[in-house]
Each structure stands twice: as C-alpha cells, then as structure tokens.
C-alpha cells in the first residue's frame, strides 16, 4: 500500500509543479500585456475603449460601430431607421430586430414610459433634430396620435457598447471598458489592477457639459452602466425650465423631482433604456419597476421639496460606492 502511495505521489508532484509554473506564467503574461486605448466619434458623440490586448483593434471596433450606425443613427440618412422614417421599404437585419424587441419589452415593463416612437414630440419641443417653436396643446394632441417616426437614440449608444464588448470577448479579452457617450460596459480589472471606477456626474444645470463635477464614483466590473438626466439638455422659456425628457403619454416634458437616473444591468442597452424610462417615471414609480426586476440596480439623484439634492440607490449598490 505504501509503495502505491509513493508511486502516486511521484506522478502528482511533477504534475502539480507544472500546473503551478503554468499558472504563474499565464499570470505574468496577462500582467505584461499592454492596455490599448481607442477613441473616436460615433452616433453624434465620443467613444472610448480601453482593453488589455497586445494588438490594437480600433479598425475592427470602428467596423462594428459602423454596423450599428447603419441601423440606428439619426445622423445617417442611409440608416435603417432613417429609411423607415422616410417610408421606404426596408428589410431590417438582426441588430435592428434585437433592439426593437428589447425596446418593446422595456415599453411593456415600464407602462409605456420607454417609447421609441416619441421622436415627433421631442422635435416639437425643440430637443431633437428639428428646432421648432414650443408646440400648442392642439399640436401635442395631434402628435400623440402619430407614432410613425422611430428614434432609438435612448438605446443605441448602450447597444453599441454591448456590441463592442461582444467583439472584445470574441478575441478572448478579459479586461476592458467600453464607453459610448457615457454608456459603459466593463469586465475584469483596469490597468491599475483594480475594479473599473465610473463616475456619476452631479446633476447641475450644465448645457455645455463643462462642469464634470461628480456626485459619486462606483467600483464596477462585469456589468453595464447607463445614466440619463435632465441637467444638460434643457432650456428656459417664460421663466420655466423645459427638459428634454418627454412623457410619451402626456406629450409634455416631465415635471418631477428626479434629476438623474443611473442603472446597472447585465447589458448596456437594457441599462440605457431603463435609465430613460425612469427619468419619465420619477423616483417612486421607478422603484416599483426595480422591485419587479431584482437584476437591475439603480442610483437616483433627485431634488427635495426644499430645493436640496438627495440620493437613493438600490441596496446592492452600496458596496460599489467609493466616494
């Protein structure tokens, strides 16, 4: 019996040694691989992609972003959405079908608060691609009945981030951060060997986006994050503030206390859509949706009746707050 055990040990020790050496070599290789940093312009905004890889994949990244642009961009007259809005006969591809179905799902789950057919109302209030004068009640009522114009702006950036994350995973890249216009997907660790740190901007009136003051910073990894707010796209008229979030049911800009909604989810398109919907719904109605969807996490910044700023966040977000 002892002889058999000795023979077994004689085989196990070299195997374990090789396993340990192999593991150390893999770790060293991963640590020595550089982080690439790519940036560019897409969907009318800036993208930033940071990933650990010996090769620069910017050409592939931009090729994937071009595919998303050709489906959903409101800036591209040749996009699928632009052609549909012009009444052309179009056969949508898999990307379009995926995002459209997700938009319909979020629409149902939020009682219509997320609506990709709200574009004419957004334009009428001067927040879209046509800057018209403030609409009358009759014009709003008329536009509420016309839902033949699509606008995926509130989900396309998040979906684009998902698409690039998928590309990086296909290359077996384990550490990365993808950000398109503030919509983020992270995996693994940063080049500082710590979880990715993502800031949530303080919602001060900043239409030129020059403030950049942060409300908090979250340690996040293996998750997607999107933020929607009314503190950058707004205007004052007749002493009243009009923000760009339009309630699809009333046709008017929302008037409630929620200033900023940050959502964390498995996919960025999901986070993007729900963040927009929550800005329509307000804090309390949004909480009811979160109760039904424990897979979602949220960080809300809102104004109190006395004009102060307060925050509410899902209990699972607490451990992610760093400052």
């Amino acid at each position: 019996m002892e002889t058999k055990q000795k023979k077994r040990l004689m085989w196990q020790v070299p195997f374990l040694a090789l396993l340990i050496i192999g593991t150390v070599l893999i770790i060293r290789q991963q640590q020595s691989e550089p982080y690439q940093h790519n940036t560019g312009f897409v969907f009318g905004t800036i993208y930033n992609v940071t990933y650990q890889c010996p090769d620069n994949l910017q050409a592939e990244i931009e090729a994937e972003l071009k595919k998303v642009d050709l489906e959903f961009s409101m800036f591209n007259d040749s996009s699928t959405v632009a052609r549909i809005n012009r009444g052309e006969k179009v056969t949508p591809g898999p990307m379009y079908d995926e995002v459209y179905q997700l938009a319909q799902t979020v629409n149902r789950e939020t009682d219509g608060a997320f609506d990709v057919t709200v574009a004419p109302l957004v334009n009428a209030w001067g927040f879209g691609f046509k800057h018209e004068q403030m609409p009358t009640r009759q014009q709003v009522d008329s536009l509420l009945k016309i839902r033949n114009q699509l606008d995926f702006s509130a989900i396309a950036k998040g979906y684009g981030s998902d698409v690039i994350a998928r590309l990086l995973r296909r290359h077996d890249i384990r550490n990365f951060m993808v950000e398109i216009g503030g919509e983020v997907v992270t995996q693994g660790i940063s080049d500082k060997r710590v979880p990715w740190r993502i800031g949530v901007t303080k919602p001060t009136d900043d239409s030129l986006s020059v403030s950049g003051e942060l409300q908090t910073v979250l340690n996040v990894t293996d998750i997607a994050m999107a933020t929607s707010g009314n503190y950058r796209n707004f205007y004052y008229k007749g002493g009243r503030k009009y923000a760009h979030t339009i309630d699809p049911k009333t046709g008017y800009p929302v008037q409630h206390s929620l200033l900023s909604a940050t959502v964390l989810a498995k996919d960025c398109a999901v986070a993007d859509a729900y963040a927009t919907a929550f800005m329509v719904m307000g804090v309390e109605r949004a909480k009811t949706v979160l109760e039904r969807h424990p897979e979602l996490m949220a960080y809300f910044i809102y104004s109190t009746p006395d004009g102060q700023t307060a925050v509410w966040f899902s209990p699972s977000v607490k451990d992610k707050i760093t400052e």
Side-chain angles (χ1 to χ4, degrees):
M1 184 69 70
E2 290 181 1
T3 304
K4 287 183 179 180
Q5 289 179 342
K6 288 180 180 179
K7 287 183 178 180
R8 192 180 298 120
L9 284 172
M10 287 176 65
W11 283 104
Q12 288 177 342
V13 170
F15 175 77
L16 289 172
L18 286 172
L19 182 63
I20 293 170
I21 292 171
T23 302
V24 170
L25 289 174
I26 290 172
I27 292 172
R28 284 184 177 177
Q29 182 184 12
Q30 289 179 344
Q31 289 178 341
S32 63
E33 281 188 355
Y35 275 73
Q36 308 288 341
H37 304 276
N38 298 152
T39 187
F41 196 73
V42 68
F43 312 146
T45 189
I46 296 172
Y47 76 81
N48 293 282
V49 186
T50 300
Y51 52 99
Q52 188 179 27
C53 181
D55 303 315
N56 191 311
L57 304 178
Q58 185 158 20
E60 289 187 55
I61 288 170
E62 296 206 337
E64 289 296 294
L65 289 174
K66 186 175 181 181
K67 293 177 186 177
V68 181
D69 184 86
L70 283 172
E71 293 289 348
F72 305 108
S73 178
M74 300 294 286
F75 298 91
N76 187 341
D77 290 338
S78 300
S79 72
T80 298
V81 170
R83 294 174 63 197
I84 290 174
N85 287 346
R86 289 198 299 269
E88 297 179 18
K89 188 176 181 180
V90 180
T91 302
M95 279 188 174
Y96 181 92
D97 290 339
E98 181 183 1
V99 174
Y100 183 81
Q101 291 303 320
L102 174 58
Q104 294 297 97
T105 298
V106 179
N107 178 275
R108 290 192 300 270
E109 293 298 312
T110 60
D111 192 26
F114 183 78
D115 192 333
V116 294
T117 68
V118 78
L121 286 161
V122 174
N123 287 331
W125 284 99
F127 295 110
F129 299 89
K130 300 176 182 177
H131 295 282
E132 302 174 10
Q133 295 199 0
M134 189 176 295
T136 64
R137 176 74 256 183
Q138 291 75 20
Q139 288 173 321
V140 170
D141 290 341
S142 177
L143 289 171
L144 282 171
K145 299 173 184 176
I146 303 172
R147 296 299 178 94
N148 62 349
Q149 295 287 300
L150 298 170
D151 183 355
F152 289 87
S153 298
I155 195 172
K157 293 194 298 294
Y159 181 70
S161 294
D162 287 331
V163 167
I164 301 308
R166 293 174 192 173
L167 168 67
L168 298 177
R169 291 183 183 117
R170 287 199 299 272
H171 280 275
D172 198 28
I173 295 172
R174 300 177 182 179
N175 301 312
F176 64 77
M177 181 184 72
V178 181
E179 182 262 331
I180 302 177
E183 320 306 8
V184 180
V185 181
T186 68
Q187 182 173 300
I189 57 176
S190 73
D191 52 356
K192 297 180 176 62
R193 307 293 163 188
V194 295
W196 296 99
R197 292 165 56 87
I198 311 297
V200 177
T201 304
K202 185 170 290 188
T204 55
D205 286 356
D206 181 22
S207 60
L208 297 178
S209 304
V210 296
S211 172
E213 188 178 357
L214 297 180
Q215 178 77 34
T216 191
V217 176
L218 304 179
N219 269 350
V220 295
T221 191
D222 302 331
I223 202 165
M225 172 176 152
T227 298
S228 182
N230 281 329
Y231 50 94
R232 285 185 176 163
N233 197 355
F234 62 90
Y235 62 78
Y236 286 93
K237 192 161 187 177
R240 188 175 181 181
K241 180 181 177 180
Y242 293 88
H244 80 287
T245 302
I246 307 298
D247 188 329
K249 289 191 173 181
T250 68
Y252 278 75
V254 296
Q255 298 287 331
H256 55 57
S257 63
L258 185 56
L259 303 173
S260 170
T262 296
V263 176
L264 291 88
K266 180 181 177 182
D267 299 308
C268 201
V270 171
D272 204 0
Y274 274 103
T276 300
F278 291 162
M279 285 304 303
V280 171
M281 302 178 82
V283 176
E284 296 307 318
R285 290 177 62 202
K287 285 181 182 180
T288 63
V289 174
L290 289 167
E291 289 173 2
R292 297 198 308 269
H293 290 276
E295 76 278 9
L296 301 176
M297 295 177 277
Y299 185 101
F300 297 148
I301 307 173
Y302 63 96
S303 58
T304 62
D306 60 357
Q308 301 298 309
T309 298
V311 301
W312 177 92
F313 48 83
S314 303
S316 51
V317 173
K318 184 176 181 180
D319 292 338
K320 301 181 184 298
I321 297 174
T322 64
E323 58 183 69

